[in-house]
Amino acid sequence: MQPINDINVDEVLKGLSAVEGANGFVIFNQDCIPLKRSEKNITYEKAVHMSALVADLWNVTKKCIQRELRSQDNDLEIIRIRTKAQSEYIISQQGDYTMIGIQLCGKAIEEAKLAAAAEAQAAAEADKAKKGDKEQS
Amino acid sequence: MADYYTYQRKRRDLGKPCNFQDSEIKIAGYTKTVAVIPNYVKRNPNHIDLDNIAEYSEHSVNTERVSTGDKVMYHKEGGWPAGIDPLEQQDQNKYRRRFEKDAAFAVAVKELSNTVEKCILQNNQIDLFEEYFLDEESEHQVENLSTKTLMLFKDQSEGVKRSVSEISWHPEGPIKAAVSYAISRFQQMPEGMMKSSYVWDLQNPNSPEFHLESNSPITNLMYNPKLSDQIGGGCYNGLVAVWDVKRGKQPVLTSPVEKSHHDPITHFQWLFSKTGTECVTTSTDGRVLWWDTRKLNEGPIESLNVTEGSNPNDPLIGATVLEYNTEAGPTKYLIGTEMGSLMVANKKPKKAVEITARYGLESGRHLGPVMSINRSPPNPKFFLTVGDWSAKIWVEDIKTPIMRTKYHGSYLTDGCWSPTRNGVFFLTRKDGWMDVWDYYYRQNEIAFSHKVSETALTCIKINSNGGAHHNAGKLVAIGDQDGTVTLLELCDSLYQLQFREKDVMNEMFDRESRKEKNLEAIKKQQDLMKKVVPKDNKAAQQKWEQRKAELIAEAEQQFSQIVKKDEEAKLNDLSEFSPKAQKKDDKKQQSPKDDDKQQQQGDGGQQQDQQDQGQGEGDKDGGQQQDGDDGQQQGNDDQQKGDDGQQQGGDDGDGQKEGDEGDGQKEGDEGDGQKEGEQE
């Protein structure tokens, strides 16, 4: 087991974001306060919403599994929600902390890449235009 | 004033149990006084006030209201602990940092990210929810062409079976159809045959809606496109008649017998004139007559004799069918004849009608009478004719057909284009089948055949206007020899315009027109070749060539003899005489002819000049021969050369002239051919 102090949380999360298809994550605690989120594509408000909804879902699901299915030994480990927008929400809990990972699947990865490329191009053009304006002025 | 009783008690005594005590009885009373009695007298009258209304008092009671307070609260921030102000960034950070410093947090994050990563990798393996060919519909479906028989209109006459001679759709839509009945076989019409024709309503196919009575069977009829009440028709006896649906069964107008056609009318056509009253009829008597229904009694307003040649004395040819279309030109009339050829008549105002073009005189003529002519609806330049066993497509500027269908199994009786689809046309056959050609799809095979009746089909008409239930081009009315009109409903793909059909068909027609023009050009060239070849092979020319060759051979022979003798003499003289003088002497001795010439030379310088000229010519033509001569020849005197040259020159000159003439003619012809080719 690694010594605890050696774990760099940010590094770990960066590594997670680098996995193909990964498109954001939120980590929140027992109070549903989002502690970590991928700043790039999840705003704070969205993170709050997500953690509220997911916490509820998690608790209810857990209760259901344990109480309604009458199996005390079973425990909820992971919830994976596949959406129509070709993305998947992966929810898992470890101790007091819960993580929501968002993943793009299938064609959505390609589409996202194309969109990113187009955006980059647009940005580059906008930069050029700005420069041109400056030169003119 | 009420006397208030005041209850007083010490505070401490309040609430003490009550001690009730008996009190002493006190007696109250009054003392009798006698002195008052005398004053006690009843008054009269006595006044008393009585009140029967209860006394009211007002009192208001309200239930107590719960007091309300307004407060506004937002829950956007998420569930922060009580001690932290979610709006304070500092508090938040402090709170977060506390967790981030927590060792358990780092471990949890590590674990969680491992878990999530595992899931992501799992998902990335394969797109499990992908559906192949999602939302893709099958683009091409095999569609079988079909027709549905909607209804049958049966002839009402009993006993004799009259054939349907013509059908005309109501101009406003497929609601009604006028049908004429006649027997067109010569002298097969029995006495007392029913002569009326009918107007059928599609709503009620059991019995005709209207009867058109006539003295003679109606051979051809047509709804007036402008006045849909009017139906015009031509009769077997050659009369033209007009019926009005509103005015009863008998014709409202009839043409005079003596001025009408002498034979059965083969086609009746309303013209798109302003008044809507003009019509044209054709007949087998070889005349095309133009009428004005307002002046029907006065006879035709125009008349045209149909002949195949431009000579007015040519025999008349029966006209079997007429095509008139305003889009093609309001003055143009396409006439089909019994001989299988086609004519274009041009009727210009204030001028006599004349035939401007004749189609199919050389090749492409139908083997039987033309049964039907139809101009292609979108492009009236192209028209379809039906005759004998095949249908042909023509273009106006070419005298031969550009396309021809294969020969059908039996005689074709009628045909028409689909009014909606450019590439489709329908043909009816004498064996009861209807054939559909779809040139958009394929040109070598019939697209669809349908057996309509057991007997021969006589005519076909397609509705060109759409109505409430039926689109244009959807309903086909086919008449047969037994007098039954069959109404067919075509399947969608047969009447709905296909993808790019217009362009494809126009391209095809243009291509075929070009092909036909090229073929014509090739044919002309071939004719030219036939003319040129016999000219070249003229026996006389051959003879002449032969003689020329003989003459040259003769001259050569003579010359070689001279040379031989010369050489011999030279060999002999080498030892004894000087070569020059000897040569000259030898020459003089050897050829007496030359001597004469020399004398002549001596006589006049003019001749010498002529000889020189001759030599010049001879040099040109006989150059090769002379170059081939021995070096000794060069040593010969000029006379010799000149002589030979003159002779040869003369010969060659003539030959050249002859050759030049021949060549010139040939070139001229070719030039003409080229010019003609270019003009076309």
Side-chain angles (χ1 to χ4, degrees):
Chain A
M1 177 101 184
Q2 246 178 327
I4 293 161
N5 294 340
D6 283 6
I7 299 172
N8 185 339
V9 173
D10 291 330
E11 284 293 314
V12 169
L13 294 175
K14 210 182 248 177
L16 178 65
S17 299
V19 179
E20 194 190 6
N23 192 33
F25 59 87
V26 177
I27 299 170
F28 61 91
N29 66 356
Q30 255 179 332
D31 296 335
C32 288
I33 305 296
L35 300 175
K36 290 275 177 197
R37 63 190 162 91
S38 51
E39 312 272 341
K40 196 173 68 184
N41 49 5
I42 294 177
T43 59
Y44 175 70
E45 270 190 12
K46 196 180 172 189
V48 169
H49 280 158
M50 276 167 64
S51 29
L53 292 169
V54 164
D56 223 23
L57 174 74
W58 183 270
N59 291 337
V60 168
T61 316
K62 192 167 179 168
K63 221 176 265 177
C64 275
I65 286 172
Q66 289 182 343
R67 200 175 289 168
E68 311 296 329
L69 301 177
R70 298 178 196 288
S71 50
Q72 280 291 331
D73 307 335
N74 278 351
D75 198 4
L76 181 61
E77 276 184 12
I78 195 158
I79 297 177
R80 297 167 71 167
I81 304 169
R82 184 70 172 231
T83 67
K84 268 190 179 174
Q86 289 188 318
S87 61
E88 185 156 309
Y89 288 80
I90 303 160
I91 305 156
S92 181
Q93 198 171 43
Q94 190 78 37
D96 292 343
Y97 305 102
T98 315
M99 180 185 229
I100 313 162
I102 305 168
Q103 182 207 357
L104 295 175
C105 306
K107 286 166 193 165
I109 298 175
E110 302 294 324
E111 282 167 19
K113 275 181 188 167
L114 285 177
E119 207 170 289
Q121 201 181 345
E125 274 172 18
D127 277 358
K128 261 189 192 174
K130 266 188 187 174
K131 275 181 188 173
D133 285 348
K134 274 181 187 172
E135 279 170 13
Q136 277 180 357
S137 61
Chain B
M1 279 286 284
D3 194 17
Y4 285 99
Y5 173 74
T6 321
Y7 181 85
Q8 284 181 326
R9 183 179 265 194
K10 283 184 178 167
R11 180 79 180 87
R12 65 163 176 271
D13 294 337
L14 285 173
K16 276 191 176 172
C18 296
N19 282 330
F20 295 104
Q21 286 174 341
D22 293 334
S23 59
E24 282 178 22
I25 300 169
K26 285 177 184 173
I27 296 167
Y30 68 93
T31 52
K32 282 185 182 173
T33 48
V34 184
V36 203
I37 292 168
N39 295 339
Y40 187 74
V41 183
K42 279 187 181 175
R43 280 191 298 190
N44 192 21
N46 195 17
H47 291 276
I48 301 171
D49 287 341
L50 291 174
D51 214 347
N52 65 344
I53 294 171
E55 206 170 298
Y56 290 102
S57 74
E58 194 184 316
H59 181 66
S60 75
V61 180
N62 241 341
T63 50
E64 198 180 346
R65 258 189 215 165
V66 180
S67 65
T68 58
D70 289 342
K71 271 185 187 172
V72 180
M73 195 178 287
Y74 290 107
H75 291 277
K76 281 179 179 175
E77 291 300 330
W80 291 90
I84 290 161
D85 183 2
L87 296 175
E88 279 291 326
Q89 198 63 39
Q90 272 190 338
D91 279 13
Q92 284 188 17
N93 289 345
K94 213 185 277 172
Y95 178 82
R96 285 220 182 84
R97 220 168 284 135
R98 208 173 74 216
F99 282 99
E100 281 163 24
K101 276 178 189 165
D102 187 3
F105 176 71
V107 176
V109 167
K110 178 84 182 160
E111 286 288 310
L112 287 170
S113 65
N114 279 345
T115 321
V116 169
E117 192 177 332
K118 214 161 74 187
C119 292
I120 288 174
L121 291 177
Q122 224 173 42
N123 274 335
N124 279 347
Q125 282 300 316
I126 186 166
D127 189 1
L128 204 63
F129 294 86
E130 185 184 5
E131 250 181 76
Y132 296 133
F133 309 112
L134 185 69
D135 296 335
E136 275 178 39
E137 284 178 13
S138 60
E139 287 175 0
H140 295 286
Q141 270 181 322
V142 177
E143 195 177 356
N144 290 322
L145 300 178
S146 65
T147 54
K148 202 168 81 185
T149 305
L150 284 188
M151 50 191 88
L152 296 175
F153 301 136
K154 285 193 174 163
D155 186 11
Q156 305 281 302
S157 80
E158 288 164 3
V160 195
K161 281 187 173 171
R162 301 185 297 169
S163 73
V164 175
S165 55
E166 180 68 359
I167 302 170
S168 176
W169 281 101
H170 196 273
E172 280 161 20
I175 44 173
K176 287 174 192 175
V179 179
S180 66
Y181 299 89
I183 292 177
S184 51
R185 293 177 63 197
F186 184 62
Q187 291 190 342
Q188 294 294 309
M189 211 183 332
E191 284 284 323
M193 189 185 79
M194 226 177 135
K195 285 159 190 162
S196 58
S197 293
Y198 310 125
V199 174
W200 294 91
D201 193 339
L202 263 61
Q203 302 288 334
N204 176 22
N206 292 326
S207 57
E209 188 199 49
F210 189 77
H211 287 252
L212 304 171
E213 300 289 352
S214 165
N215 291 331
S216 172
I218 304 163
T219 52
N220 212 291
L221 83 179
M222 187 184 178
Y223 265 105
N224 190 338
K226 284 208 168 164
L227 308 161
S228 57
D229 290 334
Q230 268 193 357
I231 299 171
C235 300
Y236 194 81
N237 56 8
L239 296 193
V240 176
V242 177
W243 291 265
D244 197 321
V245 176
K246 281 179 182 166
R247 285 207 256 163
K249 296 174 178 180
Q250 295 299 329
V252 285
L253 297 163
T254 327
S255 65
V257 177
E258 64 277 11
K259 286 175 183 170
S260 301
H261 284 290
H262 310 317
D263 271 344
I265 287 175
T266 51
H267 198 94
F268 178 94
Q269 172 84 41
W270 287 101
L271 303 185
F272 296 91
S273 59
K274 271 183 190 169
T275 51
T277 56
E278 284 178 25
C279 56
V280 59
T281 56
T282 64
S283 171
T284 46
D285 64 359
R287 290 190 300 160
V288 180
L289 301 181
W290 279 262
W291 307 82
D292 191 331
T293 51
R294 290 171 301 184
K295 298 179 281 182
L296 211 56
N297 291 329
E298 299 164 20
I301 49 174
E302 285 280 0
S303 169
L304 170 76
N305 292 337
V306 182
T307 55
E308 279 211 340
S310 45
N311 190 345
N313 294 331
D314 282 343
L316 294 184
I317 310 168
T320 51
V321 69
L322 183 134
E323 160 73 33
Y324 171 78
N325 197 332
T326 37
E327 284 170 38
T331 61
K332 270 187 191 168
Y333 301 85
L334 251 171
I335 302 163
T337 66
E338 281 182 323
M339 306 300 285
S341 56
L342 308 168
M343 319 265 160
V344 174
N346 218 329
K347 176 176 172 286
K348 287 193 174 141
K350 292 169 190 172
K351 266 189 192 175
V353 189
E354 51 177 357
I355 293 177
T356 51
R358 292 175 169 84
Y359 296 98
L361 286 190
E362 290 166 8
S363 65
R365 181 196 285 270
H366 278 291
L367 303 177
V370 178
M371 305 302 276
S372 152
I373 306 176
N374 275 283
R375 286 184 189 270
S376 174
N379 201 343
K381 217 171 79 175
F382 302 97
F383 54 92
L384 170 88
T385 63
V386 178
D388 59 72
W389 297 274
S390 72
K392 291 169 181 176
I393 297 170
W394 311 63
V395 66
E396 271 184 352
D397 45 358
I398 299 178
K399 298 284 182 275
T400 49
I402 55 168
M403 289 172 105
R404 208 202 74 183
T405 66
K406 66 171 189 181
Y407 280 124
H408 289 70
S410 64
Y411 220 78
L412 295 179
T413 52
D414 201 357
C416 61
W417 289 98
S418 166
T420 46
R421 281 196 58 187
N422 303 358
V424 174
F425 57 90
F426 301 80
L427 304 174
T428 55
R429 290 170 18 185
K430 210 151 199 177
D431 57 1
W433 286 75
M434 176 194 72
D435 290 336
V436 183
W437 286 87
D438 187 349
Y439 271 11
Y440 171 72
Y441 173 47
R442 60 179 176 189
Q443 294 82 49
N444 54 343
E445 281 295 325
I446 295 171
F448 172 68
S449 279
H450 177 67
K451 179 146 191 176
V452 180
S453 163
E454 291 294 331
T455 58
L457 305 179
T458 51
C459 69
I460 181 169
K461 277 282 179 310
I462 300 184
N463 68 317
S464 49
N465 296 324
H469 303 295
H470 301 293
N471 298 323
K474 194 178 174 187
L475 295 182
V476 184
I478 299 173
D480 70 11
Q481 198 139 37
D482 283 356
T484 309
V485 175
T486 311
L487 209 63
L488 296 178
E489 190 187 79
L490 299 174
C491 64
D492 291 355
S493 59
L494 266 180
Y495 72 88
Q496 281 168 0
L497 204 61
Q498 306 290 303
F499 174 69
R500 263 174 52 76
E501 182 168 354
K502 268 189 184 172
D503 302 342
V504 168
M505 289 313 297
N506 281 340
E507 274 170 29
M508 187 189 295
F509 284 150
D510 288 344
R511 186 191 71 208
E512 293 299 325
S513 315
R514 280 201 303 278
K515 184 200 83 180
E516 201 55 42
K517 276 174 189 164
N518 289 341
L519 285 177
E520 245 170 66
I522 290 169
K523 206 180 154 199
K524 256 184 198 163
Q525 268 185 351
Q526 279 174 346
D527 289 349
L528 208 73
M529 288 299 285
K530 274 180 200 163
K531 275 183 202 164
V532 167
V533 167
K535 205 180 272 173
D536 283 350
N537 288 350
K538 261 181 196 166
Q541 196 168 355
Q542 263 181 343
K543 233 185 229 171
W544 168 241
E545 291 278 347
Q546 245 177 359
R547 213 184 132 221
K548 195 172 115 188
E550 277 169 19
L551 280 172
I552 290 169
E554 205 181 313
E556 277 176 3
Q557 221 180 346
Q558 280 181 2
F559 181 68
S560 63
Q561 277 173 3
I562 291 164
V563 170
K564 261 184 191 173
K565 278 179 189 171
D566 214 11
E567 276 182 355
E568 281 168 17
K570 206 178 167 188
L571 282 172
N572 294 336
D573 294 348
L574 260 177
S575 49
E576 299 168 23
F577 305 101
S578 68
K580 272 188 183 174
Q582 185 59 37
K583 250 187 226 169
K584 272 188 180 172
D585 291 340
D586 285 344
K587 272 260 166 80
K588 281 168 191 170
Q589 286 163 4
Q590 281 157 8
S591 57
K593 205 177 169 186
D594 282 357
D595 285 342
D596 293 342
K597 285 267 167 76
Q598 212 168 17
Q599 280 171 358
Q600 280 176 355
Q601 190 191 2
D603 288 346
Q606 282 188 334
Q607 248 172 350
Q608 175 68 46
D609 289 345
Q610 283 176 349
Q611 280 178 349
D612 284 343
Q613 282 178 354
Q615 188 194 352
E617 286 176 45
D619 275 338
K620 278 181 194 167
D621 298 321
Q624 278 188 337
Q625 221 179 354
Q626 280 172 359
D627 287 342
D629 289 341
D630 297 337
Q632 285 175 347
Q633 177 64 31
Q634 283 183 344
N636 282 348
D637 58 356
D638 293 341
Q639 284 179 350
Q640 175 71 31
K641 263 193 192 174
D643 245 345
D644 289 339
Q646 204 176 22
Q647 209 178 353
Q648 284 182 350
D651 290 345
D652 284 351
D654 287 345
Q656 240 184 349
K657 266 186 196 169
E658 194 68 28
D660 281 346
E661 277 175 11
D663 286 347
Q665 277 185 339
K666 215 193 279 184
E667 280 172 5
D669 286 347
E670 278 173 2
D672 286 346
Q674 280 178 343
K675 268 185 197 171
E676 282 171 2
E678 282 168 3
Q679 279 175 349
E680 283 190 15

